[in-house]
């Protein structure tokens, strides 16, 4: 077996940032939550423990110039209570959860009225159901963090699939499980950072991994495949391509891929997301009775979390800048970007100490050559029905993996792990 990795590291969208002094913060995938059984089992196998995301106290909500604090133990969980839209928010979440029950995570394109659902955007759905502006703003806030996209960029079918994927075969899905900290996808973290998972696996593979080795072409015959990279050429019986569809489309194939698979890669772009982090000597927001979590309809951050290590020092807060906010944020200078984030954090915590971090760093995933966006691939409106069935379907001796091919927890670390398990079984049966 040979693993060819384009980057100078393993992990893909999972990447630890060394803060010094034995501390890290994650530039990419960070959290693990209930029903994410595949990544949990892998962590247990590798003896990597988890700990709870700090969640003692109140979250912060900033919208329309107003700031309020609230408990995520309320009926909306991490989603902020807002008296002006509470009834509409509850109705929207219930309606989407009910619609998601019609979607099979293995074959969402076969759902009743799939073509109609895929042919409209989530923004259109909100308009049709008379969602008030404040609710539309809050919805956009959530989607910028979850997808790195705006409601107008998501087909309703894909949004419903994502809700349906937020669980497992034994536990019904809900939108809140996707968004929540307590009881949701952001509930826990890995001691030492999430990149410990691929780093531990890499030590077991040893010389089987070749770094800085981007694959340029794959040729297949009746008897095998030839994979050509910048550094080495590998002959094998089968090949697994475990990268986002848009990157898989940049590899040259001989013979060329069936047009349906190629059309899929043309229509499956990555979300637009930048992750920012500020580091302090201590998590001073905790003394104010705050969790460090914040939700805001403002700019640039949409959602923030306490990212401090188990001992609480240093204090770290991370924020997600996605969709239109990320596109507006990127062209500004580094100093302006830093100031915009820190000013927003000072507003979240009502504390000027937020303006003076010991470290500040940002990761624009859309500018990472071997990622080109985050957190997940998103099919163009109307294309999920037409080309989705080609996501996992092998092409001769070429097999497809990666979190975009997952059923449950698509787009998450758990989806990446489950896709690997699925394709390993697939290849073993073919050999």
């Amino acid at each position: 077996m040979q693993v060819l990795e384009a980057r100078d590291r393993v992990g893909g969208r999972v990447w630890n940032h060394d803060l010094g002094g034995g501390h890290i913060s994650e530039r990419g995938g960070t959290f693990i939550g209930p029903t994410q059984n595949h990544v949990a089992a892998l962590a247990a196998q590798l003896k990597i423990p988890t700990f709870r995301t700090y969640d003692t106290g109140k979250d912060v909500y900033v919208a329309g110039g107003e700031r309020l604090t609230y408990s995520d133990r309320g009926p909306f969980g991490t989603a902020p209570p807002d008296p002006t839209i509470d009834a509409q928010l509850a109705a929207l979440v219930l309606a989407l959860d009910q619609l998601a029950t019609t979607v099979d995570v293995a074959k969402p394109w076969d759902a009743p009225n799939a073509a109609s659902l895929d042919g409209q955007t989530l923004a259109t759905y909100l308009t049709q159901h008379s969602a008030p502006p404040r609710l539309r703003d809050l919805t956009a806030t959530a989607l910028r963090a979850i997808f790195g996209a705006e409601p107008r960029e998501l087909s309703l079918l894909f949004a419903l699939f994502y809700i349906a994927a937020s669980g497992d075969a034994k536990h019904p899905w809900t939108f809140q499980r996707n968004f929540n900290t307590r009881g949701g996808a952001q509930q826990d973290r890995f001691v030492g950072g999430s990149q410990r998972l691929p780093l531990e696996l890499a030590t077991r593979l040893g010389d089987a991994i070749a770094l800085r080795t981007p694959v340029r072409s794959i040729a297949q015959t009746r008897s095998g495949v030839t994979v050509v990279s910048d550094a080495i050429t590998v002959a094998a019986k089968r090949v697994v391509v475990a990268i986002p569809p848009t990157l898989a489309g940049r590899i040259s194939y001989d013979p060329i891929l069936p047009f349906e698979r190629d059309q899929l890669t043309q229509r499956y772009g990555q979300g637009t997301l930048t992750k920012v982090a500020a580091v302090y000597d201590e998590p001073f927001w905790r003394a104010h009775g705050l969790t460090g979590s914040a939700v805001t309809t403002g700019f640039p951050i949409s959602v923030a979390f306490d990212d401090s290590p188990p001992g609480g020092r240093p204090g770290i807060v991370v924020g997600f800048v996605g969709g239109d906010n990320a596109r507006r944020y990127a062209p500004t200078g580094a100093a302006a970007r830093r100031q915009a984030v820190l000013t927003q954090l000072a507003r979240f915590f009502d504390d000027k100490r937020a303006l003076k971090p010991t470290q500040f760093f940002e990761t624009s995933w859309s500018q990472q050559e071997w990622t080109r966006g985050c957190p997940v691939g998103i099919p163009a409106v109307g294309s999920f029905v037409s080309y989705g069935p080609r996501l996992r379907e092998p092409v001769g001796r070429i097999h497809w993996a990666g979190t975009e091919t997952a059923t449950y927890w698509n787009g998450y670390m758990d989806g990446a792990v489950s896709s690997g398990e699925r394709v390993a079984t697939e290849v073993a049966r073919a050999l």
Side-chain angles (χ1 to χ4, degrees):
M1 181 182 70
Q2 181 74 59
V3 178
L4 305 182
E5 169 58 61
R7 296 176 175 86
D8 60 0
R9 60 175 179 83
V10 296
R13 282 166 273 183
V14 176
W15 186 13
N16 284 356
H17 178 71
D18 186 1
L19 298 172
H23 302 297
I24 64 91
S25 179
E26 294 97 341
R27 288 182 176 271
T30 301
F31 303 103
I32 175 177
T35 74
Q36 295 185 0
N37 309 311
H38 299 275
V39 70
L42 176 62
Q45 178 184 343
L46 298 175
K47 296 181 172 55
I48 299 175
T50 62
F51 67 102
R52 287 293 175 94
T53 302
Y54 188 79
D55 198 32
T56 301
K58 293 187 175 182
D59 294 1
V60 173
Y61 176 46
V62 179
E66 301 173 6
R67 176 185 180 274
L68 63 85
T69 60
Y70 65 98
S71 171
D72 67 2
R73 295 180 183 272
F76 297 108
T78 300
D82 186 330
T84 65
I85 58 170
D86 278 353
Q88 295 96 326
L89 174 61
L92 173 65
V93 170
L94 178 60
L96 291 176
D97 281 348
Q98 289 178 335
L99 271 176
T101 64
T102 68
V103 177
D104 181 347
V105 293
K107 296 183 291 184
W109 37 83
D110 286 347
N113 302 316
S116 175
L117 296 172
D118 201 31
Q120 61 179 302
T121 67
L122 187 54
T124 302
Y125 179 84
L126 293 172
T127 299
Q128 289 175 343
H129 289 76
S130 302
R134 195 154 169 128
L135 178 55
R136 292 200 296 269
D137 289 344
L138 182 58
T139 303
T141 292
L143 299 184
R144 287 168 188 154
I146 295 172
F147 296 99
E150 299 292 320
R152 68 174 187 276
E153 298 178 281
L154 294 170
S155 89
L156 180 56
L157 178 63
F158 187 68
L160 294 174
F161 159 68
Y162 228 68
I163 294 171
S166 301
D168 60 27
K170 296 181 180 179
H171 298 87
W173 47 86
T174 66
F175 172 81
Q176 284 183 304
R177 183 180 290 126
N178 199 298
F179 192 66
N180 278 2
T181 300
R182 189 189 310 274
Q186 285 69 234
Q187 177 174 282
D188 300 295
R189 295 169 51 209
F190 295 102
V191 174
S194 53
Q195 199 186 3
R196 281 189 64 191
L197 294 164
L199 289 172
E200 289 287 345
L201 289 173
T203 61
R204 302 184 182 201
L205 291 172
D207 293 339
I209 299 178
L211 300 178
R212 304 179 185 86
T213 311
V215 170
R216 302 303 183 182
S217 67
I218 299 174
Q220 60 175 321
T221 65
R222 291 183 179 180
S223 59
V225 295
T226 301
V227 181
V228 179
S229 75
D230 285 357
I232 59 177
T233 297
V234 178
K237 293 182 179 179
R238 300 265 166 176
V239 60
V240 175
V241 179
I243 55 179
T246 190
L247 294 184
R250 301 182 186 190
I251 297 173
S252 177
Y253 299 89
D254 182 19
I256 64 172
L257 297 177
F259 78 88
E260 299 95 337
R261 173 68 202 190
D262 188 66
Q263 292 281 319
L264 169 75
T265 64
Q266 294 179 45
R267 290 164 169 78
Y268 226 96
Q270 295 292 93
T272 306
L273 189 75
T274 294
K275 190 175 182 182
V276 298
V279 184
Y280 304 91
D281 289 334
E282 61 180 0
F284 57 84
W285 49 89
R286 297 183 184 182
H288 296 311
L290 300 175
T291 63
S293 295
V295 177
T296 175
T297 58
F299 172 85
I301 293 172
S302 295
V303 180
F305 296 95
D306 185 316
D307 193 52
S308 309
R313 290 174 181 264
I316 309 169
V317 59
V318 295
F320 295 91
V321 182
D324 284 347
N325 280 4
R327 289 182 279 268
R328 175 184 165 192
Y329 181 79
T332 60
R337 293 197 302 269
R338 184 181 189 274
Q339 188 61 40
V341 169
L342 299 182
T343 298
Q344 199 177 26
L345 295 180
R347 171 67 167 152
F348 289 166
F349 305 136
D350 194 24
D351 194 318
K352 291 184 178 179
R353 282 179 288 181
L355 298 172
K356 298 180 179 180
T358 58
Q359 296 185 50
F360 174 84
F361 63 96
E362 58 185 9
T363 308
S364 174
W365 284 97
S366 298
Q367 297 186 63
Q368 291 290 312
E369 182 177 8
W370 305 115
T371 309
R372 305 308 295 170
C374 219
V376 66
I378 301 169
V381 176
S383 65
F384 205 31
V385 165
S386 301
Y387 302 108
R390 299 292 179 165
L391 268 171
R392 292 183 291 274
E393 184 178 286
V395 176
R397 294 176 175 273
I398 303 173
H399 302 261
W400 314 103
T403 191
E404 280 79 16
T405 71
T407 53
Y408 290 110
W409 292 111
N410 185 288
Y412 288 77
M413 288 184 284
D414 188 76
V417 175
S418 68
S419 80
E421 295 171 351
R422 186 256 314 156
V423 81
T425 300
E426 185 178 282
V427 170
R429 288 173 177 171
L431 292 176

